[in-house]
Amino acid sequence: MDRAAEEPEQQALFGWADTEPGQTPQQPFRDSPQARRMLDVREVYAEPAALDSPRGRQIMARLPDARVTEVPSHWNIPELHGNDGNIGRWVRIKTETLVLGVKHTLATRPNGRSADWIAPGPSNGCAMACAYCYVPRRKGFANPITLFTNIEAIVAHVRRHVRAQGPKAEPNQCDPEAWVYDIGENGDCSVDALVCDNTADLIAAFRSLPTAKASFATKFVNPDLLALDPRGRTRVRFSVMPADDARLLDIRTSPVDERIAAAADFLDAGYEVHFNLSPVVLRPGWQRDWADLLTRLDDVLPARVKEQAAAEVIMLTHNQALHEVNLGWHPRAEDVLWQPEAQETKRSQNGALNVRYSLEIKQQSLARIRQLIATHAPWLRVRYAF
Ligand code: SF4
């Protein structure tokens, strides 16, 4: 893409009009009208200890007009999670409600697919509303952002874990040299950064951990992250899917073209930039549309992005309880997400009924996606396809 032609559009979108190339915006993006459309917090449910913490106080100082309700636990708030009347307000609650809590269980789990390790996340829940998102599966009837305010403890835990591993002995598909820690398993770090510094604190911590790297997937372009100076120790994974799927399923996210256009800026700001091709949703025309998307990546991305890029490919999984919630606020999405003739169910350890494409269909589809990548974006190394 012609970067000069792209810039006015970027400037209009992000409010960079007064900014010289290489400089960060004058005004934080989080104060912009675009950011407020994503998150306009009017109601906060908070554990008292979270309110009383430095991070809690920082967040509340930015929300002077929000109504605060103290709750004994961030995890099960009857007015939110147990109220089936909230389904019709699914998106509004994500925009206007925030939960503050203290994360008590700090554990890092092995992963081996997207990352070597899953770090204890700084949040749970999201202001975006992807119809297939797995995060609300255990949340009942609402899934706004819960921010964990004991970020110092989370960072200290991660530092200890990294140091205990020592250097990575052998390369693997997660990374040839560094231990990769996913820091955003249950939320979107780019959106969290609109309301607090948890993402910034984790990026800063990994800056000084030469044997490790943070990693998070995102569907939101937050230019404030460009100022965080990750020095190559944070991998951003922009999730992409065909535009028709995104319009139907990726509710409230940045348009896919904006995510692609942001890749070079993030690379230049010191991030490693990968892509999540996910979820792959099977519906009439999916192969043509994925081919178009891969062609677009090939056309738009500059060589420096391609040289370091890699991708994950993840087929859609779904869940029966979420299917029923979605029917209450976005039934059209279920026309493509819920396809019992192509999907099989599996009961998870916690008793939930999860749904995925049957093995044969999944294997054939993954093979086809790999072919499409080889044809249209041969520079894109597939780290794993699942
Ligand atoms: S951006 Fe991620 S965490 Fe947020 S709703 Fe979409 S899939 Fe879920």
Side-chain angles (χ1 to χ4, degrees):
M1 172 184 274
D2 176 352
R3 296 282 295 162
E6 175 194 331
E7 271 167 15
E9 194 183 323
Q10 293 273 348
Q11 289 173 353
L13 178 70
F14 300 143
W16 290 355
D18 298 332
T19 308
E20 293 298 318
Q23 285 186 332
T24 51
Q26 306 285 318
Q27 284 284 97
F29 176 72
R30 66 167 188 258
D31 293 337
S32 69
Q34 297 97 316
R36 272 199 298 281
R37 276 199 293 278
M38 174 63 70
L39 213 47
D40 185 13
V41 178
R42 291 153 189 228
E43 174 129 60
V44 176
Y45 292 91
E47 295 173 3
L51 280 178
D52 205 25
S53 65
R55 181 53 35 93
R57 286 196 292 274
Q58 181 199 48
I59 294 166
M60 292 313 303
R62 292 178 184 169
L63 304 170
D65 300 324
R67 192 164 60 120
V68 180
T69 304
E70 293 197 4
V71 291
S73 163
H74 66 267
W75 185 242
N76 193 353
I77 302 170
E79 300 94 306
L80 279 179
H81 308 119
N83 178 359
D84 65 1
N86 282 339
I87 293 179
R89 301 175 61 238
W90 184 256
V91 169
R92 180 175 286 267
I93 287 174
K94 283 170 168 283
T95 313
E96 296 183 355
T97 302
L98 194 64
V99 179
L100 302 183
V102 175
K103 193 174 183 80
H104 292 292
T105 307
L106 299 181
T108 290
R109 308 193 320 272
N111 178 255
R113 284 185 181 144
S114 179
D116 293 296
W117 306 98
I118 306 291
S123 67
N124 187 310
C126 186
M128 294 181 280
C130 306
Y132 50 80
C133 178
Y134 62 81
V135 177
R137 287 182 189 173
R138 291 190 295 141
K139 293 289 225 34
F141 302 114
N143 184 33
I145 299 175
T146 296
L147 290 173
F148 297 119
T149 57
N150 53 328
I151 188 68
E152 313 84 356
I154 293 172
V155 167
H157 163 92
V158 171
R159 280 188 203 279
R160 277 196 303 275
H161 194 278
V162 170
R163 291 193 174 125
Q165 305 317 306
K168 192 174 197 173
E170 290 181 10
N172 63 10
Q173 58 86 10
C174 298
D175 193 88
E177 290 165 4
W179 294 110
V180 179
Y181 286 73
D182 195 308
I183 60 168
E185 183 191 23
N186 290 314
D188 191 300
C189 292
S190 304
V191 175
D192 295 350
L194 296 177
V195 263
C196 81
D197 292 342
N198 281 3
T199 302
D201 288 348
L202 280 160
I203 289 173
F206 277 90
R207 209 189 285 147
S208 60
L209 293 170
T211 58
K213 200 178 266 184
S215 173
F216 64 90
T218 187
K219 299 188 177 80
F220 184 64
V221 179
N222 180 348
D224 290 344
L225 300 191
L226 297 175
L228 298 182
D229 191 21
R231 295 185 208 164
R233 308 314 301 174
T234 294
R235 172 184 297 165
V236 174
R237 300 171 354 249
F238 284 108
S239 298
V240 293
M241 60 162 57
D244 282 353
D245 288 331
R247 273 191 289 275
L248 179 66
L249 304 173
D250 273 11
I251 310 300
R252 313 198 77 222
T253 60
S254 300
V256 171
D257 268 356
E258 282 172 24
R259 302 178 216 167
I260 297 171
D265 295 323
F266 276 72
L267 180 70
D268 295 344
Y271 293 88
E272 186 181 40
V273 179
H274 284 191
F275 297 96
N276 278 14
L277 310 186
S278 74
V280 178
V281 178
L282 303 183
R283 41 94 181 154
W286 71 271
Q287 298 182 41
R288 176 200 60 218
D289 289 350
W290 277 96
D292 287 351
L293 174 65
L294 291 161
T295 303
R296 178 139 186 86
L297 288 172
D298 190 47
D299 288 346
V300 166
L301 294 173
R304 63 189 188 282
V305 173
K306 294 178 181 175
E307 278 158 16
Q308 52 84 67
E312 300 168 17
V313 182
I314 307 168
M315 301 294 294
L316 171 74
T317 62
H318 200 28
N319 169 274
Q320 186 170 40
L322 185 61
H323 165 66
E324 279 151 23
V325 167
N326 285 353
L327 288 176
W329 73 276
H330 189 27
R332 275 200 316 121
E334 291 305 309
D335 292 344
V336 296
L337 296 181
W338 191 255
Q339 302 170 47
E341 68 288 351
Q343 290 164 323
E344 57 190 24
T345 52
K346 186 180 175 213
R347 197 166 284 283
S348 72
Q349 283 172 346
N350 65 11
L353 214 52
N354 293 337
V355 174
R356 61 190 179 190
Y357 294 120
S358 64
L359 192 61
E360 193 183 347
I361 291 175
K362 184 172 163 175
Q363 284 176 341
Q364 286 170 355
S365 307
L366 286 174
R368 183 65 185 131
I369 282 276
R370 283 184 184 273
Q371 279 174 353
L372 292 171
I373 293 170
T375 304
H376 300 287
W379 44 269
L380 188 56
R381 177 171 57 91
V382 176
R383 285 202 294 106
Y384 82 94
F386 163 73

